[in-house]
Amino acid sequence: MNLASVLLLLAACHLSVSVNGQEHKEAIELSMANHDHVLGSAQVVFVAFCADWCPFSRRLKPIFEESARVFHQENPQASAVWAIVDSQRQADIGDKYFVNKYPTMKVFVNGELITKEYRSTRSVEALTNFVKFQLSTAINEFSSQDQLNQEMDKSKRNVVAWLKKDGPEFANLKKVASILREDCSFWVPTDHFGTQTNDNKLSFFDPDSNEEAKFTGNFNDYDFVKQWVTDKCIPLVREVTFENVEELTEEGMPFLIYFRDPDNKTTDKVFGEAVARELYDQRSAINPLLADGHKFAHPLKHLGKTKEDLPVLAIDSFQHMYLFPDMTQMNIPGKLREFVMDLHSGKLHKDFHENLDQRMIELAKAKAARGITDDHEAQAPSTRPIDTTPPPSVFKELKPSDKRYSILQKSEL
């Protein structure tokens, strides 16, 4: 064998790994042909969906490839794979994971997709630190009940488990914790303290009600444990912030937004109970959210409202915004559901146009009375505005920025 052949063989061994159980030393190309094998080959698989026509992808790709090299040099034994999807040649993978912008970076832990994408700094240091974090333990230990009481942040969602660490029950919990680590804090006793009980126990502590919910199912049924913990850790009603609004918009569901005074959150529970009671079957059709009415003053302005009007309830469909007409009726059985169903049926939009003149005059008068001015030239409140549509969506402007991504424009239904 000549020198050139030896060098080629060494290079191939360095770049490849997966098929024969070797470790990936560099970013590999992910395709449908190797998809299942790659996702199951490591604890963490970090995937960048890129497109050659996208300038942001062209910038990221060499950084991502260098990050993979640096990571494996610094962590040669780590169970992690870095992979790149050429979204032109492997479009079916992008479709499989609903990728609608480039570049998109997703992470899989133990073969399962983590809901939250990587959206932070695109640098070698930031990317490698992200993978290290995903590999780190997602479970906290406590050596006494006093330590647990002192260290557990009761303002957050907490899961406490008493399980033998050498059993399949703990293995299931560990996998669930890796997936939901950003939604819940997980706690288990140390080996010594854990010997005080022989029973397997799993509890969820709700920060809002301060109540404990106990798991009563089969600890060996991973899917059941995962679903139970997911339902507890990811609440039906979430808080929208400027930090998470981008990823919330990408879930694609209209927002049902409850704007309230941040110093008076007493009605948060009332709204949550109304959503649970009225919209129990709408989890995949509407996104119920709490919003700081002071920070999100701009959407209120478009509705002709100010912080003096809080609380305010509205729907943002990403095309238009619709105001819940009478806040005193929010808890009347059926009213909240009717509001959401009217959005889905198109009735909200239809009703707006049927009563357009009066509604627009009322909106203009309300803005004038509160000293609210539009971004364009002000008009007399008694005249019909030129714009004859419902107030435009504000939250669609908070979707992923075209200064960081190339957005795929898909036709709306």
Side-chain angles (χ1 to χ4, degrees), residues 43 109-110 114 134 136-139 173-182 186:
Q43 179 183 338
V109 176
N110 298 313
I114 303 301
Q134 296 299 326
S136 66
T137 180
I139 299 179
L173 177 71
K174 191 174 180 181
K175 288 173 64 178
V176 172
S178 296
I179 296 170
L180 297 171
R181 65 191 306 161
E182 293 190 43
F186 291 82

Side-chain angles (χ1 to χ4, degrees), residues 318-331:
F318 301 138
Q319 290 182 327
H320 304 295
M321 296 188 74
Y322 301 96
L323 186 67
F324 188 74
D326 186 350
M327 289 300 296
T328 63
Q329 296 188 355
M330 189 182 76
N331 283 319

Side-chain angles (χ1 to χ4, degrees), residues 10-18 23-28 69:
L10 289 174
C13 291
H14 178 67
L15 289 171
S16 69
V17 198
S18 41
E23 291 181 358
H24 295 288
K25 300 300 181 183
E26 305 212 7
I28 63 167
R69 287 190 287 270

Side-chain angles (χ1 to χ4, degrees), residues 352 355-365 385 387 389:
F352 186 94
N355 302 287
L356 180 62
D357 288 346
Q358 186 59 36
R359 286 178 181 269
M360 295 305 289
I361 289 172
E362 289 174 358
L363 178 60
K365 285 182 177 180
D387 183 6
T389 61

Side-chain angles (χ1 to χ4, degrees), residues 276-346:
R277 181 180 64 250
E278 302 280 335
L279 305 174
Y280 54 88
D281 59 346
Q282 294 295 305
R283 192 157 192 167
S284 62
I286 196 78
N287 213 337
L289 301 168
L290 298 166
D292 183 329
H294 293 181
K295 291 181 178 178
F296 286 98
H298 187 56
L300 288 176
K301 171 185 170 181
H302 278 252
L303 294 165
K305 301 292 184 180
T306 71
K307 63 181 181 181
E308 304 301 325
D309 299 300
L310 298 173
V312 171
L313 180 64
I315 287 176
D316 190 316
S317 70
F318 301 138
Q319 290 182 327
H320 304 295
M321 296 188 74
Y322 301 96
L323 186 67
F324 188 74
D326 186 350
M327 289 300 296
T328 63
Q329 296 188 355
M330 189 182 76
N331 283 319
I332 295 178
K335 287 294 183 180
L336 182 60
R337 184 176 183 83
E338 180 184 5
F339 183 50
V340 172
M341 293 299 105
D342 284 350
L343 170 74
H344 297 327
S345 69

Side-chain angles (χ1 to χ4, degrees), residues 30-32 35 49 85 90-99:
L30 184 66
S31 67
M32 287 304 292
H35 172 275
F49 293 79
V85 175
Q90 305 293 340
D92 43 1
I93 299 185
D95 292 341
K96 179 180 178 68
Y97 295 107
F98 305 103
V99 174

Side-chain angles (χ1 to χ4, degrees), residues 240-280:
V240 60
T241 66
F242 285 112
E243 289 72 32
N244 70 2
V245 67
E246 181 181 287
E247 62 191 70
L248 289 175
T249 62
E250 286 205 286
E251 293 178 6
M253 296 180 290
F255 287 178
L256 176 66
I257 315 167
Y258 187 73
F259 299 93
R260 84 289 197 225
D261 187 332
D263 297 324
N264 181 17
K265 299 182 179 180
T266 55
T267 56
D268 287 9
K269 185 177 181 181
V270 176
F271 176 63
E273 290 173 347
V275 169
R277 181 180 64 250
E278 302 280 335
L279 305 174
Y280 54 88

